[in-house]
Amino acid sequence: MAVNRMFRVCPTSGLSFHEPAEKLIRWNAVAAVVSLLVGGILSLLVILTRWQVVHLLPPDWFYLALTAHGLDMLIFWIIFFEIAVLYFCASTLLRCRIAAPRWAWAGFWLMIIGALVNNVAVFRGDSSVMFTSYAPMGAHPAFYLGLILFAVGALVACFVFFGTLVVAKSEKTYNGSVPLVTFGAVTAAIIAVFTIASGAIILIPTFLWSLGYVSHIDSLMYRTVWWAFGHSAQQINVAAHVSVWYAIAAIVFNAKPMSEKVSRAAFLLYIFFLQLASAHHLLADPGLTSHWKIFNTSYAMYLAVLASMVHGLTVPGAIEVAQRNKGFNNGLFEWLRKAPWSNPSFSAMFISLVGFGFLGGISGVMMGTEQLNLIIHNTIYVPGHFHATVVIGTTLAFMGLTYFLIPTLFRRELMFPGMAKWQPYIFGLGMCGFSLFMMGAGTLGVPRRHWDMSFAGNALPYEFPGTAWLMMSLMAIFGLAAIVGGIMYLLITVGSVFLGKRIVTPGFAYVRAKDGVAPTMRPVEVAFESHGTNIGIAGFAAPGTFILAIVFLIAFILYYFVNWKYLSTVWPLS
């Protein structure tokens, strides 16, 4: 029997891994963790430079490290892991063979080559143009070539994912609709295709410009089209990590969505409106009409925000319903108090959800208001916001999923289990403080990318208030705590995958694709099935989650209007 027709059935979870898909998931996950390692080292250098007491790097090295950090973290680490998630959601959850594994490997190696070429270009020292690489600031041609190769490889992976969905449908490996987690992955892949197309539209002519074949790149056109790529790349992350939230709720609690129709509709809102939110990066730019800015950052963006608020309600709501069904019914929050807080998959997911909502979500809506955007545009508030969304939200959710994949996918026992219990708290809470104090410093005007906030030696110096210096110091301290949490994650994952005790599975079985897989489903696999649940309409099933939603709404309103108060002090009227 040909190897590429073989499945491995996990005896504990009941999940079925198609061997080529299993290898692809593993290697994409490993490439992601290597990118995280490189980006993490660079983050330490950046933090110790922005901490004025240390001020480690000279300016040229700082901008080099900042450029490489942004690319390795925001693109390479996250997208490699997301491709692993796509293959898992298509092949494993739908119990079908992966489509075109050779094309999948070709895409993987294109991504590897692209990431290496881009990193080499940056570390050469002549491509310190930041993650945004705004024209007319030019980089070495290899910088753009690396990004293009990586994007093409990711696009190939997306089409393999879509092809796998077709295979699953034609071979009838599932009944009814695809599971909600897979539906979320479909959302991420659709946004990814839009994102990569936008990147091609702007990066290919910029690559030709760097070679001298194109004479001029209009800077406003570049910024407008680039953000359709740059911001939408982060929207892939939102759809992916929300899918992971649902997955972990199913894994840990056997939780079913409160209403699959509502959750699926929220994912569709991401597809229709989430990419438009990129306009909040351009609100201070001339040349774009007020009508365009208002439409994109109000009516359109709010529908995408509504989708995230739906997921932020339904995920803990599903957990609450599952916990109450197990007997945790005393008061409003016994279900939450008795949750498995020592399980790193759950704790990582829950901190991810809360941090993404309270810090990333609220600050993002505030930034999307044109008047308020003027207060914090191009200040360090902006990276404070996206560290809350991309790091607390996405990275921490991916870390939580890793703790499930190590024993089921890599078949290794988790090393340092005591450390694993604490890792999400140290990383997550450290990053929460890091983002919060960064936003505080940005509100006081500290610049986003400047090497030296003291502006030492400048003809027109500016002295920030002492509170801003305190905020930056606290930002650095919490950032170092988050780096410790990141080191713990790397020790646990690398140690477990390469040195952990191999899990012996005597009930381990291979079956052929044409014979079907997993004839009897285990609880974890059943939780991933499409249920068509509609618990929310049946009654007030999650009162604790409702109270948490009210707390979030009050925080949202208070923070929003506090920023209007800040705005009123910019141009005082009497």
Side-chain angles (χ1 to χ4, degrees):
M1 190 184 302
V3 172
N4 65 354
R5 301 289 296 175
M6 299 292 289
F7 284 80
R8 175 180 69 83
V9 182
C10 175
T12 53
S13 66
L15 295 174
S16 306
F17 293 93
H18 185 219
E19 280 197 317
E22 183 176 13
K23 291 177 182 177
L24 283 160
I25 295 169
R26 285 181 181 179
W27 281 101
N28 276 280
V30 168
V33 170
V34 171
S35 301
L36 180 66
L37 171 62
V38 176
I41 294 170
L42 294 165
S43 69
L44 177 63
L45 300 178
V46 171
I47 288 172
L48 292 179
T49 304
R50 288 308 305 255
W51 193 1
Q52 291 289 140
V53 175
V54 181
H55 212 46
L56 181 66
L57 298 178
D60 54 344
W61 276 97
F62 170 75
Y63 292 115
L64 184 155
L66 186 59
T67 301
H69 168 70
L71 291 161
D72 282 310
M73 292 301 219
L74 287 171
I75 294 184
F76 303 139
W77 141 249
I78 285 180
I79 293 182
F80 269 123
F81 201 97
E82 283 167 349
I83 298 303
V85 170
L86 290 185
Y87 292 151
F88 176 80
C89 290
S91 177
T92 303
L93 296 190
L94 299 183
R95 295 175 285 155
C96 76
R97 60 185 177 86
I98 192 170
R102 291 183 180 178
W103 279 103
W105 280 112
F108 171 76
W109 287 112
L110 274 175
M111 292 170 70
I112 289 289
I113 293 168
L116 289 174
V117 168
N118 181 267
N119 270 275
V120 169
V122 173
F123 284 107
R124 279 167 48 95
D126 56 0
S127 298
S128 299
V129 292
M130 310 304 154
F131 170 69
T132 48
S133 57
Y134 288 147
M137 189 166 53
H140 190 275
F143 177 91
Y144 307 106
L145 179 62
L147 289 177
I148 292 168
L149 291 174
F150 186 87
V152 171
L155 188 62
V156 169
C158 288
F159 286 131
V160 171
F161 168 77
F162 290 130
T164 306
L165 298 180
V166 173
V167 169
K169 186 70 173 178
S170 64
E171 297 184 357
K172 299 179 180 178
T173 63
Y174 65 94
N175 297 316
S177 302
V178 295
L180 181 62
V181 176
T182 304
F183 189 86
V186 172
T187 303
I190 291 171
I191 297 173
V193 172
F194 167 85
T195 300
I196 294 167
S198 302
I201 289 170
I202 197 60
L203 287 175
I204 291 175
T206 308
F207 170 59
L208 296 175
W209 168 68
S210 70
L211 290 171
Y213 294 115
V214 172
S215 61
H216 174 69
I217 297 288
D218 181 81
S219 58
L220 178 60
M221 181 273 294
Y222 179 95
R223 287 167 63 90
T224 305
V225 180
W226 189 92
W227 276 112
F229 158 75
H231 195 81
S232 297
Q234 313 320 314
Q235 312 318 333
I236 307 170
N237 307 339
V238 174
H241 78 233
V242 169
S243 300
V244 171
W245 291 349
Y246 282 109
I248 291 176
I251 291 164
V252 178
F253 299 95
N254 196 22
K256 302 175 180 63
M258 296 185 70
S259 172
E260 283 207 15
K261 290 182 180 179
V262 171
S263 295
R264 289 172 192 266
F267 276 120
L268 287 176
L269 288 177
Y270 280 161
I271 295 173
F272 294 143
F273 298 106
L274 201 56
Q275 300 90 300
L276 301 175
S278 61
H280 79 251
H281 294 277
L282 305 169
L283 290 175
D285 282 29
L288 299 172
T289 67
S290 295
H291 297 88
W292 183 84
K293 293 177 181 178
I294 291 168
F295 174 78
N296 280 276
T297 58
S298 57
Y299 309 108
M301 192 179 81
Y302 295 158
L303 290 170
V305 172
L306 173 64
S308 290
M309 293 178 73
V310 166
H311 294 307
L313 178 68
T314 58
V315 173
I319 293 172
E320 179 176 357
V321 170
Q323 286 284 81
R324 289 186 181 277
N325 287 338
K326 295 173 184 175
F328 299 115
N329 288 304
N330 292 330
L332 288 172
F333 297 113
E334 186 190 23
W335 64 274
L336 191 57
R337 293 197 310 272
K338 296 296 179 67
W341 292 101
S342 61
N343 182 331
S345 289
F346 167 71
S347 59
M349 181 276 288
F350 204 84
I351 296 171
S352 164
L353 188 151
V354 173
F356 176 79
F358 278 85
L359 294 178
I362 293 175
S363 62
V365 174
M366 193 279 286
M367 288 169 59
T369 304
E370 185 169 10
Q371 298 93 327
L372 299 179
N373 188 278
L374 296 173
I375 306 175
I376 49 84
H377 179 75
N378 228 21
T379 70
I380 204 167
Y381 188 105
V382 179
H385 155 73
F386 67 68
H387 277 80
T389 58
V390 178
V391 185
I392 301 173
T394 306
T395 294
L396 196 54
F398 288 175
M399 287 176 172
L401 184 62
T402 304
Y403 293 119
F404 169 73
L405 292 178
I406 287 173
T408 56
L409 174 67
F410 290 94
R411 285 177 278 164
R412 299 280 186 170
E413 289 185 4
L414 202 65
M415 290 188 70
F416 314 117
M419 185 189 296
K421 292 178 182 178
W422 287 101
Q423 186 273 327
Y425 296 101
I426 294 173
F427 181 83
L429 299 179
M431 191 53 63
C432 285
F434 179 78
S435 299
L436 188 64
F437 289 115
M438 199 183 282
M439 288 190 281
T443 304
L444 296 172
V446 176
R448 174 178 179 180
R449 291 165 165 164
H450 203 283
W451 166 72
D452 181 10
M453 67 176 281
S454 72
F455 297 102
N458 285 279
L460 298 172
Y462 179 81
E463 184 63 37
F464 287 100
T467 308
W469 291 81
L470 174 63
M471 292 281 186
M472 292 298 288
S473 296
L474 291 171
M475 174 210 76
I477 292 168
F478 277 91
L480 293 177
I483 288 174
V484 170
I487 293 170
M488 293 166 67
Y489 171 77
L490 290 168
L491 284 174
I492 295 163
T493 53
V494 174
S496 300
V497 168
F498 293 103
L499 302 174
K501 182 180 178 182
R502 185 176 293 278
I503 295 175
V504 179
T505 51
F508 180 87
Y510 280 105
V511 293
R512 290 184 297 175
K514 68 179 183 180
D515 293 335
V517 294
T520 56
M521 292 188 291
R522 274 71 170 183
V524 168
E525 192 179 18
V526 171
F528 281 123
E529 289 289 290
S530 178
H531 299 283
T533 51
N534 216 8
I535 297 170
I537 293 176
F540 198 52
T545 300
F546 178 77
I547 296 300
L548 294 177
I550 295 299
V551 171
F552 174 81
L553 181 62
I554 292 171
F556 199 132
I557 293 170
L558 288 176
Y559 185 75
Y560 195 76
F561 284 101
V562 161
N563 278 279
W564 281 100
K565 177 64 172 65
Y566 281 142
L567 181 64
S568 70
T569 65
V570 177
W571 298 296
L573 300 176
S574 62

